[in-house]
């Protein structure tokens, strides 16, 4: 009797899932480990995403990869082979996203990454055909900084970055951008996210006497060199990357990060954008949704990358639904094609106009220069 | 590199070295008494600093729930054992320490509003909250396996470390915190300025080391700990409770860890997982001391701090590599010069 009942239940579940054929979206984010400050707002954002698109129910299966490359690959394999997801979102960091590309390509599942490096989508090849991303490329932000420096008349700059892929990536892009703008790079140092002290690096940078210093780190750890520089009496201009754009950075940095310049997605200063800016509405919408759920002042630009990934999907799913049924190989291919055709989608960070060669599709509108004034983000005019 | 830079780096290295020295002393203490390689030592650094930061931000630190939870579990286990063994006279003590004490701290935080307290009172409250976690961790994780081999204890230690780091992320979030410094005074020494907090770190470290020296040399509890460290069985035959010795050593280790965290929180940003790396450097120092000698461990810690400071100037990308590579020649030298006799069982 018991066995029969079990069998009946099984049959019911199987038929039920066949009859509905929801769209399954697999997500892998770094909600714990070193990248947790980026991964947690991303994870929170998935709870705000639409539960149905064009009348189809959407299931988000969110897994944590602990900022670990191996775990990200395991997650991606599990999502594509066991859960048979129609799209793969993730991961938070560049190394994890790079590692997931193989899985996405092998299982022919479109993937949208929330990590910064342009290496995720360039150079375009058979594997990266399946991969898209939402954050601004490092190169774009590095050029924004170098151009800002050139306009300010800065001739020499020193660089200090994380001793990992983030710092290395920025060093590569920024040294190129600086050279293009005829700025001399006089120092290149590394530090670790968890270092108690950066006195050695700071003294070395200051002995080269640069007019400006660029700190390439993310979240609160990038306040450490800034505090060190101020403490040792550095008088030049300090630049940060868009990796610092959350309120915890202001809290930890306090008065020591006053006057710092950084490039950022428009969402950081959404309320200050002129009404004519096409991104103001979409950015404010995300902020309102996030803060309604998690409290005022809780929003960060990292979660907005996840939100943009959701927008891309919401735009592409209806087109793909016309061609095939969710859960099939054909649907995934149709979804990929639809993503590549994305035109004029207004996200929180920029306007997406994708093509076969550009799987990000941002233009200059996706980066604004921001200055920290009175412990607040201030849009530069 | 001129004289001023050399001095500044030296100052930085000695400050960090002082913290590593405290942690290495705690590691040596715990290892000699209980044979546990106490990897979660660093978590107490982070818990101490972040608990204080939570008070200052007007938040209730998550460590409070951990204390209450651990207290309830310890009380239940100990009550069962006490009732089964007919030791009813112990019930009052068990309830008092494991339920009454967390309840008192609970009341103090909820009705006392520590947000507006002076810094010293906040520091004391943070210590009162974090330090009892040490003996509770010993009771729950290590006491049931106290007679196991060093390897089993090490594996338990790794498990406790991972659990505490995870809880730290849950309690304090992924972003770090800083706390205001104990004093804004600064000392002008020739061409360099020594900040007040640096003096606090150095002064407190020296004071703590002196206090520990007195404790081990002159008090009955300190002597009991030393006896247990020299020979567990012998100490037990002399009526020294190894359970008491274990709990006491964990209490001291937790106190040293939490206080170190509070000392460095104004100098650096502390994250939920900062403690591990700081603890690991303390461990390198403890290894230099062969996990047995306090003075050598303390000297090793200052060496680690200085090495770190100068290598961050000369080759910042390889700083950690240089510090942790130090352990290899030390281990080689140790294994060549000492004729170690396994004391196990």
């Amino acid at each position: 009797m018991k066995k029969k009942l079990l069998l009946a239940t099984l049959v019911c579940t199987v038929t039920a899932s066949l009859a509905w054929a929801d769209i399954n979206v697999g997500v892998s984010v770094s909600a714990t480990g070193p990248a947790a400050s980026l991964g947690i707002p991303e994870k929170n954002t998935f709870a705000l995403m639409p539960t149905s698109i064009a009348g189809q129910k959407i299931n988000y299966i969110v897994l944590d990869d602990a900022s670990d490359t191996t775990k990200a690959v395991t997650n991606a394999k599990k999502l594509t082979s066991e859960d048979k997801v129609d799209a793969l979102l993730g991961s938070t960091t560049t190394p994890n996203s790079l590692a997931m590309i193989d899985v996405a390509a092998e299982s022919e599942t479109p993937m949208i990454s929330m990590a910064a490096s342009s290496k995720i989508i360039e150079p375009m090849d058979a594997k990266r055909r399946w991969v898209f991303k939402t954050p601004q490329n490092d190169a774009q932000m590095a050029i924004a900084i170098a151009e800002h420096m050139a306009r300010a008349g800065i001739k020499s700059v020193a660089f200090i970055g994380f001793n990992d892929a983030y710092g290395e990536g920025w060093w590569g892009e920024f040294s190129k951008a600086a050279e293009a703008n005829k700025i001399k790079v006089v120092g290149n140092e590394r530090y670790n996210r968890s270092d108690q002290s950066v006195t050695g690096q700071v003294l070395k940078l200051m002995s080269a006497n640069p007019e400006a210093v660029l700190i390439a780190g993310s979240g609160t750890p990038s306040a450490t060199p800034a505090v060190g520089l101020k403490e040792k009496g550095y008088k030049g201009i300090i630049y940060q990357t868009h990796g610092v754009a959350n309120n915890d950075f202001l809290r930890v940095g306090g008065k020591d990060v006053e006057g710092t310049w950084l490039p950022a997605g428009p969402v950081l200063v959404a309320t200050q954008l002129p009404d004519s800016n096409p991104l103001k509405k979409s950015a404010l919408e995300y902020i309102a949704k996030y803060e309604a759920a998690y409290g005022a002042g809780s929003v960060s630009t990292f979660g907005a990358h996840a939100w943009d990934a959701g927008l891309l999907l919401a735009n592409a799913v209806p087109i793909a639904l016309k061609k095939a049924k969710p859960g099939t190989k054909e649907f995934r291919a149709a979804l990929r094609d639809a993503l590549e055709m994305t035109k004029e989608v207004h996200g929180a960070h920029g306007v997406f106009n994708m093509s076969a060669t550009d799987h990000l599709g941002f233009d200059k509108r996706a980066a604004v220069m921001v200055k920290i004034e009175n412990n607040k983000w201030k849009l530069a005019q | 590199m001129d004289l001023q830079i050399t001095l500044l780096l030296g100052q930085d290295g000695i400050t960090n070295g002082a913290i590593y020295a405290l942690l290495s002393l705690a590691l040596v203490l715990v290892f000699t008494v209980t044979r546990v390689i106490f990897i979660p030592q660093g978590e107490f650094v982070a818990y101490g600093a972040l608990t204080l930061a939570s008070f200052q931000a007007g938040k209730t630190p998550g460590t409070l729930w951990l204390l209450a939870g651990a207290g309830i579990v310890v009380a239940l286990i100990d009550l069962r054992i006490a009732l089964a063994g007919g030791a009813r006279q112990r019930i009052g003590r068990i309830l008092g320490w494991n339920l009454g004490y967390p309840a008192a701290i609970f009341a103090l935080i909820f009705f006392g509003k520590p947000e507006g307290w002076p810094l010293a009172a906040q520091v004391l409250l943070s210590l009162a909250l974090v330090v009892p976690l040490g003996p509770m961790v010993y009771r729950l994780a290590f006491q049931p396996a106290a007679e196991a081999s060093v390897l089993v204890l090490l594996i338990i230690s790794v498990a406790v470390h991972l659990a505490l780091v995870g809880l730290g992320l849950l309690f304090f979030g992924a972003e770090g915190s800083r706390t205001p410094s104990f004093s804004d005074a600064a000392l002008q020494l020739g061409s360099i300025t020594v900040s007040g907090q640096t003096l606090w770190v150095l002064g407190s470290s020296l004071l703590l080391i002196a206090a520990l020296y007195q404790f081990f040399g002159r008090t009955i509890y300190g002597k009991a700990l030393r006896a247990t460290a020299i020979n567990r069985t012998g100490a037990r035959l002399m009526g020294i409770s190894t359970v008491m010795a274990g709990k006491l050593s964990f209490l001291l280790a937790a106190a040293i860890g939490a206080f170190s965290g509070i000392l460095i929180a104004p100098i650096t940003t502390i994250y939920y997982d900062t403690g591990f790396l700081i603890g690991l450097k303390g461990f390198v120092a403890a290894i230099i001391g062969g996990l047995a000698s306090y003075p050598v461990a303390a000297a090793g810690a200052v060496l680690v701090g200085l090495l770190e400071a100068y290598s961050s100037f000369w080759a910042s990308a390889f700083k950690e590599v240089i510090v942790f590579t130090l352990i290899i020649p030390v281990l080689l030298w140790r294994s060549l010069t000492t004729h170690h006799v396994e004391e196990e069982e």
Side-chain angles (χ1 to χ4, degrees):
Chain A
M1 183 62 211
K2 229 180 191 175
K3 258 191 187 155
K4 265 189 187 163
L5 201 70
L6 195 73
L7 199 69
T9 338
L10 251 175
V11 170
C12 280
T13 5
V14 169
T15 41
S17 62
L18 277 181
W20 289 101
D22 299 340
I23 298 175
N24 288 316
V25 176
V27 182
S28 177
V29 288
S30 310
T32 56
S37 67
L38 285 64
I40 290 171
E42 289 172 2
K43 186 169 165 248
N44 287 342
T45 301
F46 285 106
L48 309 172
M49 289 199 180
T51 48
S52 77
I53 297 175
Q56 279 284 343
K57 191 165 174 290
I58 304 224
N59 300 320
Y60 297 95
I61 306 160
V62 183
L63 300 179
D64 172 25
D65 61 33
S67 314
D68 176 34
T69 316
T70 319
K71 193 84 201 302
V73 173
T74 316
N75 282 352
K77 284 206 171 124
K78 182 179 176 300
L79 290 166
T80 50
S81 62
E82 282 177 32
D83 300 309
K84 306 244 179 287
V85 294
D86 298 298
L88 203 53
L89 301 189
S91 170
T92 308
T93 67
T94 299
N96 287 9
S97 303
L98 287 173
M100 285 166 65
I101 292 178
D102 283 336
V103 184
E106 204 175 292
S107 60
E108 307 194 328
T109 313
M111 164 179 149
I112 308 177
S113 165
M114 293 162 288
S117 171
S118 55
K119 292 197 185 84
I120 297 166
I121 50 164
E122 285 167 10
M124 189 50 67
D125 54 21
K127 282 181 180 169
R128 288 183 172 82
R129 261 187 86 222
W130 293 94
V131 184
F132 302 83
K133 74 190 270 279
T134 54
Q136 297 85 347
N137 283 335
D138 290 347
Q140 190 176 9
M141 291 307 207
I143 291 167
I145 291 181
E147 283 177 351
H148 187 269
M149 286 176 176
R151 276 201 303 280
I154 289 167
K155 294 271 178 296
S156 63
V157 62
F159 177 91
I160 175 167
F162 273 3
N163 202 359
D164 63 8
Y166 189 86
E168 280 306 322
W170 261 92
W171 167 245
E173 298 298 345
F174 180 72
S175 51
K176 267 188 278 171
E179 202 185 295
N181 284 284
K182 299 192 176 56
I183 301 167
K184 206 166 157 244
V185 185
V186 293
N188 175 19
E189 293 296 318
R190 294 285 183 280
Y191 75 109
N192 295 301
R193 200 180 73 88
S194 51
D195 276 354
Q196 296 102 276
S197 151
V198 289
T199 313
Q201 291 94 321
V202 161
L203 291 173
K204 183 112 181 245
L205 290 182
M206 283 173 64
S207 63
N209 213 4
E211 287 172 57
V213 175
L214 170 62
I215 300 167
S218 61
T220 40
S222 35
T224 314
V227 174
L229 282 164
K230 279 277 144 71
E231 197 182 273
K232 296 280 173 284
Y234 180 68
K235 295 277 184 286
I237 303 168
I238 295 175
Y239 285 83
Q240 294 270 3
T241 66
H242 56 304
V244 305
N246 68 6
N247 288 332
D248 288 298
F249 175 76
L250 294 180
R251 170 176 62 80
V252 169
K255 61 181 188 326
D256 289 327
V257 297
E258 199 65 19
T260 301
W261 286 94
L262 63 142
V267 66
L268 183 65
V269 284
T271 49
Q272 299 166 38
L273 292 172
D275 289 334
S276 59
N277 191 312
L279 292 165
K280 184 166 186 171
K281 195 167 143 270
S282 49
L284 283 177
E285 187 196 337
Y286 170 67
I287 295 174
K289 279 228 170 85
Y290 195 96
E291 297 201 333
Y294 301 106
S298 59
V299 75
S300 83
T301 60
F302 310 121
H305 294 310
W307 179 251
D308 285 352
L311 290 180
L312 290 179
L313 269 189
N315 184 57
V317 163
I319 304 168
L321 275 175
K322 285 183 201 141
K323 292 191 187 151
K325 278 221 156 55
T328 61
K329 197 178 153 197
E330 290 74 28
F331 180 76
R332 295 199 298 271
L335 190 61
R336 191 211 78 86
D337 294 343
L339 280 169
E340 199 171 85
M341 303 295 284
T342 302
K343 285 280 168 297
E344 282 298 309
V345 168
H346 288 205
H349 273 282
V351 183
F352 294 93
N353 279 305
M354 300 215 183
S355 69
T357 50
D358 185 0
H359 277 190
L360 166 64
F362 273 162
D363 50 26
K364 287 215 164 184
R365 284 175 288 185
V368 293
M369 283 307 285
V370 173
K371 191 180 187 187
I372 300 173
E373 271 177 18
N374 301 323
N375 214 21
K376 292 225 157 39
W377 311 106
K378 183 91 175 43
L379 177 68
Q381 297 306 328
Chain B
M1 183 153 141
D2 55 17
L3 182 67
Q4 189 182 5
I5 290 179
T6 315
L7 287 175
L8 281 172
L9 288 176
Q11 179 203 340
D12 201 56
I14 290 172
T15 314
N16 284 332
I19 296 294
Y20 300 152
L22 285 178
L23 295 179
S24 68
L25 295 186
L27 285 167
V28 171
L29 167 67
V30 169
F31 182 76
T32 50
V33 174
T34 65
R35 298 176 304 131
V36 173
I37 295 172
F38 195 39
I39 297 172
Q41 176 71 52
E43 271 61 72
F44 286 96
V45 176
Y47 277 19
L50 291 172
T51 301
L52 177 63
S54 299
F55 284 139
Q56 285 167 350
K59 289 185 207 145
T60 309
T63 33
L64 179 61
W65 311 116
L66 183 62
L67 180 72
I72 290 169
V73 178
V74 171
L76 286 177
I77 295 174
D78 277 353
L79 275 182
R80 226 191 86 204
I81 293 171
L83 288 178
R88 286 175 191 283
Q89 71 281 5
R90 288 180 51 210
I91 292 176
R93 241 182 95 167
I94 294 171
L95 288 179
W97 275 116
N98 296 307
L99 298 179
Y101 180 80
I105 299 274
F106 206 84
L108 209 56
I109 291 172
F110 273 91
F111 300 108
K113 301 249 175 302
E115 198 182 339
W117 292 9
L119 185 63
Q122 287 176 337
V123 167
L124 284 178
L125 184 61
S126 309
L127 288 175
L129 180 52
V130 175
V131 173
L133 288 173
M136 285 179 181
V137 163
Y138 179 76
R139 175 66 192 90
L140 292 175
F142 295 101
Q143 192 180 319
E147 300 303 322
S149 68
V150 172
L151 185 64
V152 171
L153 291 172
L154 173 66
I155 294 169
I156 298 176
S157 190
V158 171
V160 172
H161 156 69
L162 291 175
L164 288 180
V165 169
L167 286 170
L169 177 62
L170 183 70
F171 295 155
F172 304 110
E175 292 291 3
S177 290
R178 273 173 187 260
T179 56
S181 56
F182 291 6
S183 81
D184 287 325
L187 186 69
Q188 196 72 33
L189 272 182
S191 62
I192 64 165
T193 319
V194 183
S195 76
Q197 192 63 31
T198 307
L199 295 176
W200 263 100
V201 171
L202 292 177
S204 327
S205 303
L206 287 176
L207 208 69
L208 256 176
I209 290 171
L212 280 176
Y213 185 73
Q214 291 294 320
F215 172 75
F216 285 122
R218 303 198 179 236
T219 65
I220 190 80
Y221 280 105
K223 285 177 180 169
L225 281 184
R226 269 170 61 206
T228 322
I230 293 165
N231 190 326
R232 279 173 76 80
T233 322
R236 202 139 85 197
L237 290 173
M238 291 294 116
I240 296 169
S241 156
T242 44
V243 170
M244 183 281 295
K247 279 188 181 165
L248 186 58
S249 64
F250 270 65
L251 182 85
L252 284 173
I256 292 173
F259 189 62
S260 309
I262 289 169
L263 276 179
I264 52 167
I267 307 178
T268 180
T269 319
I270 302 277
Y271 306 88
Y272 73 96
D273 59 350
T274 300
F276 179 60
L277 217 57
I278 303 183
L280 213 54
K281 284 173 188 153
F283 186 68
V284 172
I287 290 285
I288 294 175
L291 277 176
S293 162
Y294 292 98
V296 180
V302 177
L303 176 71
V304 170
L306 286 173
L307 194 67
E308 199 183 28
Y310 287 105
S311 56
S312 73
F313 183 84
W314 288 115
S316 59
F318 299 103
K319 194 190 80 176
E320 308 290 25
V321 180
I322 294 170
V323 170
F324 290 114
T325 310
L326 179 67
I327 218 168
I328 296 174
V330 168
L331 284 177
L332 273 178
W333 169 67
R334 283 250 152 223
S335 64
L336 288 177
T337 54
T338 53
H339 300 283
H340 189 61
V341 187
E342 280 293 321
E343 199 212 331
E344 298 252 312
E345 272 76 55

